[in-house]
Amino acid sequence: MKQIRFVTAEEAVKVVKSGDRVHMSSVAVTPHLLIHALVDRGRRGELRHVRIQHIHTEGAAPYADPEFEGIFQLESFFVGGNVRKQTQAGYADYIPVFLHETQRLIREGYLKVNVAFIQVSPPDKHGFVSLGTSVDATLAAVETADTVIAIVNKNVPRAFGDAMITLDDIDIFVEDHSPLYAPPMPPISEVEYQIGHHVAALVEDGATLQMGIGAIPNAVLSMLGNHKNLGVHSEMFSDGILPLVESGVVNGKNKAIDKGKMVATFLMGSTKVYDFIDDNPMVAMMDVGYTNRVHIIAQNPKVTAINSALQVDITGQVCADSLGTRFFSGVGGQIDFLRGASLSQGGKPIIAMPSMTDKGISKIAPILTPGAGVVSTRANIHWLVTEFGAVNLYGRALQDRAKLIISIAHPSAREDLEKAAFERFGPHFHFVENGQ
Ligand code: COA
């Protein structure tokens, strides 16, 4: 078994050269110690034009700051909260890509990785370490990077699946036992409970669930206590799923592939989630090219994919990555899962969102704000849910769907939306009642 020799983070990052591309592992295992050491080198003027690549990190992201212009250039696969302002201002940049293809950009050499910064669990007696909560595109970086630097951290859970790599995959070792990022769980508001209620009514026994983090997924999950034989095949899961596993509601028995297992590619939650996946053969942390591949997703029955949107127009175009021209997030896995759910036997692609923003703006609009990005097209959308109900737009003509969409808009916005639909579709529009 390879012997580990630890070096300091300062020593480790000396391997990075000007012009290199550095990949960073995601979210809960953001490699902060290495980031700090790299940024210090940048500050000392030792580096130029280093490209930073990641899906989404959490915590400070100094490499995206204006002071490092010409030194570090962020090319993220998703615009997280910690780099949003810098991306909107043009200092950092974003690569639009389906989440399942992030690994492909790396593996097929479109974006050659020179150095990978990762965090892993301590080695087991066979010389294996685990990527824990971030397999996503990080495994592709580990496979292809010239140099892999790993922080060995006892807080990284020993997750199975593709997460398991060997000591031989790593070139340089650094030790740090900082706790993993564990965001507070947002409280569930009344509106989110109502949305959760409408979505939960769509979830059938035996369904395979995909959902992200946040109050709406947690609201939905809190209402599934009497369901049977649910499964999980998702890009991530969080705390809301744990009580359903404990009670046996989530058991994966109805899945066609990975039967009995919960499948994800990255995770973010409280330490309870990280403890849950540690040494747990029920959880498979897999490459994003597997979790998010449409034809893999579609193999499970009744895939119920619950995603959200920033804005939806009255024809069913879904904007999820920008507020007008301002980038807010990314394409992410939305299309991967909406498409996979649509192709799954009995599957249900769902977009669930409040009818209004927290500032009282209707999220259902006559047209998308100029510059808004269509993440999911009219043809991809099936179920649309707000606190005012759930409508299925699949197979519906434009005028029908406008009527259905307006029926679940906030009441204060409906009159303006109906006027806009009338202007757009002409006098026949009002003859269509409730989309029937
Ligand atoms: N007009 C103007 N502002 C709007 C708006 C609209 N239609 N919709 C939202 N906003 C503002 C909100 O007021 C809020 O502003 P604040 O940050 O100043 O409070 C902000 O945009 C975020 O809105 P919110 O509704 O809280 O977003 P969210 O955190 O629920 O995220 C998505 C929603 C769509 C960004 C998120 O689900 C996403 O990134 N999706 C794409 C990727 C994906 O689906 N991946 C698969 C699941 S992980």
Side-chain angles (χ1 to χ4, degrees):
M1 188 164 108
K2 182 170 174 174
Q3 288 303 305
I4 299 184
R5 188 177 72 85
F6 287 116
V7 300
T8 62
E10 291 68 30
E11 190 63 31
V13 301
K14 282 186 185 159
V15 75
V16 178
K17 302 184 297 301
S18 291
D20 275 356
R21 179 177 283 110
V22 176
H23 179 95
M24 293 173 183
S25 53
S26 304
V27 194
V29 288
T30 301
H32 284 293
L33 195 68
L34 298 174
I35 293 173
H36 287 309
L38 184 72
V39 163
D40 280 348
R41 282 196 66 198
R43 223 172 249 128
R44 289 197 299 269
E46 294 174 21
L47 294 167
R48 297 289 296 163
H49 304 301
V50 172
R51 293 173 189 277
I52 306 292
Q53 173 192 79
H54 54 64
I55 292 182
H56 167 196
T57 58
E58 284 292 341
Y63 47 80
D65 287 345
E67 67 167 301
F68 292 112
E69 199 171 5
I71 299 173
F72 300 119
Q73 176 63 51
L74 173 62
E75 297 172 340
S76 69
F77 294 137
F78 191 86
V79 183
N82 60 350
V83 297
R84 194 164 286 141
K85 278 204 181 92
Q86 297 90 325
T87 307
Q88 290 171 354
Y91 289 106
D93 219 336
Y94 154 68
I95 298 174
V97 58
F98 299 121
L99 208 61
H100 80 272
E101 291 190 350
T102 53
Q103 51 78 32
R104 179 183 179 200
L105 291 179
I106 297 170
R107 285 198 173 102
E108 295 190 10
Y110 293 96
L111 303 171
K112 161 77 188 151
V113 174
N114 302 101
V115 184
F117 286 3
I118 63 173
Q119 289 210 59
V120 296
S121 64
D124 64 18
K125 61 184 180 183
H126 303 292
F128 281 85
V129 295
S130 176
L131 292 168
T133 57
S134 168
V135 182
D136 45 63
T138 297
L139 181 61
V142 170
E143 285 169 9
T144 59
D146 301 325
T147 308
V148 177
I149 308 177
I151 299 172
V152 177
N153 183 340
K154 65 179 183 201
N155 295 307
V156 175
R158 190 167 170 272
F160 298 129
D162 292 337
M164 281 290 176
I165 60 173
T166 77
L167 290 174
D168 290 331
D169 295 319
I170 298 165
D171 301 293
I172 301 175
F173 296 88
V174 173
E175 190 174 20
D176 177 39
H177 300 292
S178 300
L180 304 193
Y181 176 75
M185 285 301 110
I188 302 174
S189 70
E190 186 49 39
V191 165
E192 287 152 350
Y193 266 119
Q194 287 163 11
I195 297 168
H197 174 75
H198 295 307
V199 174
L202 296 173
V203 178
E204 295 174 30
D205 288 342
T208 306
L209 301 177
Q210 176 262 329
M211 55 183 70
I213 192 171
I216 293 178
N218 283 343
V220 176
L221 292 167
S222 73
M223 292 171 198
L224 300 179
N226 292 322
H227 276 61
K228 292 186 182 59
N229 300 327
L230 297 180
V232 173
H233 181 111
S234 188
E235 62 197 30
M236 67 170 305
F237 59 80
S238 195
D239 289 63
I241 205 81
L242 300 184
L244 296 177
V245 179
E246 266 164 41
S247 63
V249 169
V250 167
N251 58 21
K253 279 191 179 155
N254 199 43
K255 288 175 84 177
I257 54 169
D258 305 309
K259 209 178 254 300
K261 287 195 194 297
M262 297 166 68
V263 172
T265 194
F266 68 83
L267 293 180
M268 177 163 68
S270 73
T271 49
K272 281 189 199 157
V273 175
Y274 309 147
D275 289 346
F276 170 72
I277 71 163
D278 185 47
D279 255 330
N280 189 344
M282 185 182 180
V283 179
M285 291 298 295
M286 303 299 282
D287 192 280
V288 73
Y290 179 81
T291 56
N292 282 47
R293 195 184 174 95
V294 173
H295 294 98
I296 299 289
I297 296 166
Q299 287 178 41
N300 278 312
K302 297 185 185 174
V303 173
T304 305
I306 304 157
N307 291 277
S308 199
L310 291 170
Q311 195 177 41
V312 175
D313 75 9
I314 55 171
T315 66
Q317 296 194 97
V318 177
C319 168
D321 64 359
S322 70
L323 297 166
T325 53
R326 276 188 305 134
F327 272 90
F328 186 85
S329 75
V331 171
Q334 182 168 114
I335 273 283
D336 299 342
F337 276 96
L338 290 192
R339 200 72 201 115
S342 177
L343 294 173
S344 131
Q345 184 85 45
K348 289 183 185 162
I350 300 171
I351 294 289
M353 62 174 198
S355 65
M356 287 273 204
T357 71
D358 44 6
K359 296 168 190 81
I361 301 166
S362 173
K363 286 166 76 83
I364 294 178
I367 56 168
L368 297 180
T369 305
V374 175
V375 166
S376 298
T377 71
R378 300 175 177 112
N380 294 119
I381 191 165
H382 290 219
W383 287 95
L384 178 67
V385 180
T386 71
E387 68 273 29
F388 295 103
V391 293
N392 189 358
L393 307 174
Y394 190 56
R396 295 296 191 138
L398 290 173
Q399 295 187 31
D400 278 4
R401 52 174 62 208
K403 201 80 183 175
L404 287 169
I405 294 170
I406 294 168
S407 75
I408 57 165
H410 194 275
S412 64
R414 285 182 201 163
E415 195 181 325
D416 284 349
L417 291 168
E418 280 187 21
K419 273 190 203 148
F422 186 81
E423 279 164 23
R424 184 162 181 166
F425 299 117
H428 289 293
F429 179 70
H430 65 275
F431 291 121
V432 187
E433 278 181 19
N434 298 323
Q436 299 307 306

